Amino acid sequence: MKLTGAQALIKSLEMENVEVMFGLPGGAILPVYDPLIDSSIRHVLVRHEQGAGHMAEGYAHATGRPGVAMVTSGPAATNIVTPLCDAYMDSVPIVVITGQVAYSSIGTDAFQEADTVGITMPVTKHNWLVTDAQDIPRIVREAFHVATTGRPGPVLVDVPKDVSNAQMDWYWPDGVELPGYRPSTKGHAKQIKEAARLINQARRPVIYAGGGILKGRAAEALRELAELAGLHVVTTLMARGAFPDDHPLCLGMPGMHGNYTAITSMQRADLLITLGARFDDRVTGKVSAFAPDAKIIHVDVDPAELGKVRRPDVPIVGDSRLVIEELVKAVRAEQSKHGKSDLTDWDRQIDEWRRDHPLQYEQQDGGPLKPQYCIEALRDNTPDDTIVVAGVGQHQMWTSQYWRFNHPYTWVNSGGLGTMGFAVPAAIGAKVGKPERMVWAVDGDGCFQMTAQELVTASAERIPVKIAILNNAYLGMVRQWQELFYEERYSEVYLSPDLPDYVKWAEAMGCVGLRVDTPEDVVPAIEKANEVDDRPVVIDFRTDYREKVYPMVAAGDSNDNVILGPEYGEGGY
Amino acid sequence: MAAREEARHHILTVLVENKFGVLSRVAGLFSRRGYNIYSLAVSPTDDERFSRMTVVVDAESSPIEQITKQLNKLIPVIKINELGPDEGVERELMLATVKAGPEVRSQVTELASIFEARIVDVGFDAMTLMVAGSPNRLDAMSDLLAPFGIIELQRTGRIALPKLTRQPTRLRTVKSRSA
Ligand SMILES: Cc1ncc(C[n+]2csc(CCOP(=O)(O)OP(=O)(O)O)c2C)c(N)n1
Ligand SMILES: [Mg+2]
């Protein structure tokens, strides 16, 4: 069967079971948009290509399936670099198709020519420039394979216009042949046995669970392991929901804005069972002072993570789910041989920390509206399986701290890159992937202004996402640092509470717009928003700009120095 | 000095797919992760689907284990062999044009013969020599040529194979899997 390269591309996407893609057409990708009309694939027309990339990410986060975005060459390709980098940092499987100028004119500075493959090389797991239409099915197949296997990540396929116009003979490859790509899956049996031995001997063990649990579909296995050996679990920013917050063994988020117990239990641990986490600086604080007494078991599908920051005592390369399942068996064997280890003292210590140092804030009646209160109200007035998406800043940390994530894949955020503007488009992508679920984005006023125009997309496509703006009139997180570390010298962080007018802006974009100034109005507004199901809703919560995120470990400081709150004085712990 | 520097060098021979952009993927990885390349040579292999890159890195300033692991993640990288400081036979080629007027010409040719260098070009007052050998030897040769006045000098960067010993091989395969 003869097809054009463009037809082959769309057909290949269909063969990969792509049901939806996010994009915006232009000159170099025009040939591919034509056969799209006759395809079963739904296309969501975005208002900015960055939105397409984050929607693809949101879709992937929520569904576990690769998100697909398609844009044209040059400026469109550069517009999608940020989402690619974001997906690269957070190991999110997305496939981005870019148009390119005709292969015959590459290198001539043709109109809208950009070296897309060169520009995106450091922010993709792999990328391809298609030089022959005949290669399209093979490359698409490879692209999806690479994006979704091993450590997942973004890939990009750059398709010159003359290649998509050229004829090819259709085929669909049986598999992929990539001799330099063989991700390992099963962990080393001897290492797993050794890990089980350490687990059974530890007196102060903690499971340090990272995003790799979610990427590896290992949440159930993790729970089995934790319950089997009575191990407490911290869930990093990327792993919120990987272990249920309402589980007695769950300690919540560690790191710079983690809770005291999560941070301190890692610091005092004698064994860190690191599963799909990467010792990020936001988790470890000063690396040389991090968990000084702990032996390290480190399980990761990416061998380069083992020993990158902290040298493990037991390194295990493998798929998180498969390794943890084996670990469960090995621990059970240890227990039946040597008996189950007694962790009573450690459990008691942890409970004491929890009791003495809970998260805290105070919402006074009639006082200024506290952001944490808004989040708790949202949490308590939405279904348990609501998908929560966050922007980047204070509101993100509060959401991660105060939400109760009881199910995997209910938390979507930008961790590694910290991309402001992530929330609105990522929420749209998540809602497209999980239309039956309620999707709430908790966004900052600064973040919202970066990508809000995608709510036009959401209105046009009837994607009823809900956005809670925690409007503190500031680039709050930056303000917090200036307050604490730059002697309250505020430089370029004020945004204004009512410029823009968020309600009018929401309405202009086809959404329902609501505004909340006082604590009493919070719950009624949320209830009203929950009833809207035919269009997006935006709530402008006017929150107290003075509120800061605590606990906090100052950047570069040891995790022994947790600042619990403002009452502990400047630099006091 | 040269010999001391030698001791810190690790050699990676990297078998890669002979495809568009592979060199820039490898070079880009080094710059992005902040590793220093001391020298880099790329050559075809007997199988036209592959090329071989010989990368010399400074083992002290660059974490060799991380480098190989990160290189392994590049999809066109098929296999990496690592040679420690004493584990390889290394050779390099040098071309040097030196001032060689009539009064010193014989001294230059004498030096060339000591180093088994070949004279590949002769001008009225200059000569171009070619010498192959271990990097140390080329360092020595260029030191000795310097007093005559070096007009231009180029070295290829080294290529290397594992030393043969009574044990079957000292080649350590470090590429086994990637993610
Ligand atoms: C694209 C981008 N630019 C700048 C930053 C630096 N930054 C981190 S948080 C933040 C403030 C975010 O403000 P807002 O969205 O209002 O959230 P808040 O902290 O007030 O909750 C800034 C500027 C960033 N993370 N991303
Ligand atoms: Mg703000």
Side-chain angles (χ1 to χ4, degrees):
Chain A
M1 179 175 45
K2 286 268 182 215
L3 294 182
T4 64
Q7 290 166 331
L9 180 57
I10 294 297
K11 200 170 162 66
S12 301
L13 296 174
E14 288 168 354
M15 294 299 288
E16 288 290 349
N17 299 315
V18 173
E19 50 185 27
V20 59
M21 55 207 264
F22 308 92
L24 193 151
I29 197 74
L30 264 173
V32 188
Y33 268 84
D34 185 76
L36 183 63
I37 295 176
D38 307 316
S39 168
S40 59
I41 298 173
R42 174 183 181 193
H43 181 274
V44 173
L45 176 62
V46 300
R47 268 46 178 184
H48 185 293
E49 290 87 354
Q50 182 185 357
H54 291 319
M55 287 178 203
E57 288 187 87
Y59 177 89
H61 271 289
T63 64
R65 293 161 40 83
V68 181
M70 182 160 81
V71 302
T72 190
S73 66
T78 56
N79 274 348
I80 210 162
V81 171
T82 299
L84 282 169
C85 191
D86 191 90
Y88 188 68
M89 292 291 270
D90 287 346
S91 308
V92 186
I94 63 170
V95 178
V96 172
I97 314 274
T98 46
Q100 182 54 277
V101 301
Y103 190 60
S104 53
S105 46
I106 282 182
T108 64
D109 302 316
F111 179 63
Q112 294 193 330
E113 178 181 357
D115 176 10
T116 304
V117 165
I119 290 169
T120 60
M121 225 173 244
V123 295
T124 51
K125 188 171 168 186
H126 194 58
N127 59 16
W128 291 257
L129 173 66
V130 186
T131 56
D132 183 343
Q134 198 59 39
D135 294 339
I136 286 174
R138 173 180 62 79
I139 289 177
V140 169
R141 184 107 213 238
E142 288 175 359
F144 278 81
H145 179 70
V146 170
T148 53
T149 52
R151 179 179 184 165
V155 298
L156 179 140
V157 181
D158 199 25
V159 191
K161 194 172 186 177
D162 51 355
V163 172
S164 34
N165 280 327
Q167 295 282 312
M168 57 84 70
D169 289 308
W170 170 256
Y171 63 99
W172 185 244
D174 294 333
V176 294
E177 211 179 305
L178 292 166
Y181 181 72
R182 276 157 293 146
S184 47
T185 49
K186 282 187 79 170
H188 196 289
K190 225 171 96 191
Q191 297 290 82
I192 289 173
K193 206 161 163 228
E194 176 61 13
R197 200 180 62 81
L198 288 186
I199 290 171
N200 207 45
Q201 286 176 356
R203 315 296 305 174
R204 303 187 305 279
V206 172
I207 292 181
Y208 164 22
I213 297 291
L214 294 170
K215 301 296 166 2
R217 320 305 282 183
E220 251 172 71
L222 169 63
R223 185 174 178 148
E224 201 180 349
L225 176 66
E227 288 176 351
L228 172 67
L231 304 166
H232 283 89
V233 181
V234 303
T235 47
T236 68
L237 182 66
M238 293 312 298
R240 305 288 292 123
F243 191 72
D245 276 332
D246 62 2
H247 195 290
L249 290 170
C250 191
L251 301 180
M253 181 171 75
M256 180 176 272
H257 291 299
N259 69 75
Y260 180 88
T261 308
I263 298 171
T264 307
S265 61
M266 288 174 98
Q267 281 304 90
R268 297 290 145 259
D270 67 350
L271 179 67
L272 279 186
I273 304 142
T274 311
L275 307 173
R278 60 182 176 86
F279 295 89
D280 181 73
D281 55 84
R282 286 300 189 260
V283 169
T284 62
K286 185 177 176 185
V287 175
S288 59
F290 175 67
D293 306 327
K295 286 204 162 144
I296 308 286
I297 296 168
H298 195 172
V299 178
D300 207 291
V301 74
D302 178 358
E305 288 304 336
L306 307 180
K308 187 182 79 177
V309 175
R310 173 87 176 243
R311 186 146 291 280
D313 298 275
V314 184
I316 303 175
V317 180
D319 175 84
S320 55
R321 184 175 58 82
L322 297 178
V323 172
I324 296 170
E325 283 171 0
E326 289 303 311
L327 209 45
V328 166
K329 288 184 210 155
V331 169
R332 204 170 275 139
E334 281 290 318
Q335 287 178 347
S336 61
K337 226 188 300 167
H338 305 287
K340 195 172 162 176
S341 56
D342 175 17
L343 300 176
T344 330
D345 288 348
W346 181 231
D347 294 345
R348 194 176 302 130
Q349 170 69 78
I350 286 175
D351 285 342
E352 219 168 88
W353 286 330
R354 276 172 160 162
R355 192 191 59 225
D356 295 347
H357 303 293
L359 291 175
Q360 49 188 334
Y361 75 96
E362 202 182 333
Q363 175 65 66
Q364 282 168 347
D365 284 344
L369 181 56
K370 295 292 179 180
Q372 300 96 323
Y373 175 77
C374 299
I375 292 167
E376 290 199 306
L378 201 54
R379 176 196 70 196
D380 296 339
N381 290 279
T382 47
D384 192 42
D385 65 354
T386 298
I387 295 174
V388 188
V389 187
V392 171
Q394 293 179 310
H395 62 282
Q396 173 192 28
M397 292 299 118
W398 286 318
T399 310
S400 179
Q401 290 176 337
Y402 285 90
W403 203 269
R404 265 195 306 269
F405 297 97
N406 292 331
H407 306 279
Y409 314 108
T410 53
W411 170 236
V412 178
N413 94 129
S414 166
L417 196 63
T419 308
M420 286 176 70
F422 177 82
V424 168
I428 294 170
K431 182 72 182 173
V432 168
K434 292 277 181 194
E436 73 287 1
R437 302 269 283 276
M438 192 177 275
V439 176
W440 270 96
V442 178
D443 213 1
D445 46 331
C447 290
F448 183 78
Q449 293 187 53
M450 288 201 179
T451 49
Q453 77 278 5
E454 296 310 334
L455 286 174
V456 179
T457 306
S459 291
E461 298 268 349
R462 303 259 163 214
I463 304 165
V465 291
K466 305 181 198 307
I467 317 289
I469 304 173
L470 299 185
N471 177 5
N472 54 7
Y474 274 96
L475 297 169
M477 186 57 96
V478 183
R479 184 187 193 281
Q480 173 164 348
W481 284 52
Q482 291 179 346
E483 178 178 342
L484 297 176
F485 307 119
Y486 290 86
E487 291 143 8
E488 299 181 46
R489 285 163 54 84
Y490 297 116
S491 176
E492 303 298 328
V493 287
Y494 180 65
L495 295 175
S496 156
D498 46 16
L499 179 67
D501 181 325
Y502 292 96
V503 170
K504 281 192 188 152
W505 192 9
E507 286 168 358
M509 293 188 289
C511 312
V512 173
L514 303 167
R515 180 176 143 190
V516 173
D517 294 273
T518 60
E520 311 82 76
D521 292 342
V522 169
V523 172
I526 292 168
E527 284 171 347
K528 201 161 163 195
N530 284 344
E531 277 159 25
V532 178
D533 206 33
D534 61 342
R535 71 194 68 192
V537 187
V538 176
I539 307 182
D540 171 12
F541 289 102
R542 298 287 174 89
T543 58
D544 184 1
Y545 70 93
R546 283 162 306 197
E547 195 62 30
K548 287 184 287 295
V549 185
Y550 288 111
M552 174 169 196
V553 178
D557 202 354
S558 159
N559 277 1
D560 287 335
N561 304 330
V562 182
I563 306 170
L564 286 167
E567 66 278 19
Y568 292 80
E570 206 174 316
Y573 316 120
Chain B
M1 185 200 102
R4 230 178 309 121
E5 251 180 33
E6 277 308 290
R8 297 190 289 134
H9 287 150
H10 270 259
I11 300 172
L12 301 174
T13 61
V14 186
L15 190 70
V16 298
E17 282 186 79
N18 183 10
K19 274 192 185 154
F20 168 86
V22 176
L23 175 61
S24 78
R25 281 180 209 281
V26 171
L29 186 140
F30 274 80
S31 69
R32 180 164 69 87
R33 301 257 174 204
Y35 312 141
N36 273 324
I37 298 182
Y38 182 79
S39 85
L40 172 68
V42 189
S43 51
T45 63
D46 50 5
D47 185 335
E48 63 175 23
R49 290 171 302 163
F50 307 116
S51 325
R52 178 168 281 112
M53 295 187 183
T54 308
V55 193
V56 182
V57 294
D58 179 0
E60 260 168 38
S61 68
S62 303
I64 192 77
E65 182 189 325
Q66 260 298 303
I67 295 178
T68 56
K69 283 176 166 180
Q70 293 293 349
L71 279 173
N72 273 331
K73 285 168 62 171
L74 296 179
I75 284 156
V77 169
I78 307 291
K79 187 173 175 178
I80 302 174
N81 291 310
E82 180 195 333
L83 293 173
D86 302 316
E87 297 173 338
V89 181
E90 306 166 30
R91 287 296 178 268
E92 203 177 346
L93 184 73
M94 176 170 87
L95 288 173
T97 301
V98 289
K99 287 189 188 151
E103 65 289 355
V104 295
R105 192 171 289 161
S106 61
Q107 291 174 44
V108 174
T109 49
E110 198 176 312
L111 194 61
S113 73
I114 293 171
F115 278 89
E116 291 169 21
R118 280 180 40 205
I119 296 160
V120 291
D121 202 6
V122 185
F124 288 110
D125 50 9
M127 249 182 212
T128 300
L129 309 179
M130 175 187 84
V131 60
S134 69
N136 273 336
R137 198 171 132 94
L138 303 198
D139 292 341
M141 172 104 184
S142 60
D143 285 350
L144 290 166
L145 288 174
F148 297 102
I150 293 174
I151 297 166
E152 263 191 277
L153 182 144
Q154 273 193 37
R155 292 166 66 152
T156 55
R158 60 191 87 177
I159 55 172
L161 285 174
K163 261 185 199 161
L164 301 176
T165 62
R166 272 168 287 281
Q167 293 145 358
T169 177
R170 304 279 299 266
L171 206 66
R172 275 205 308 276
T173 299
V174 288
K175 168 120 188 167
S176 47
R177 43 193 45 147
S178 55

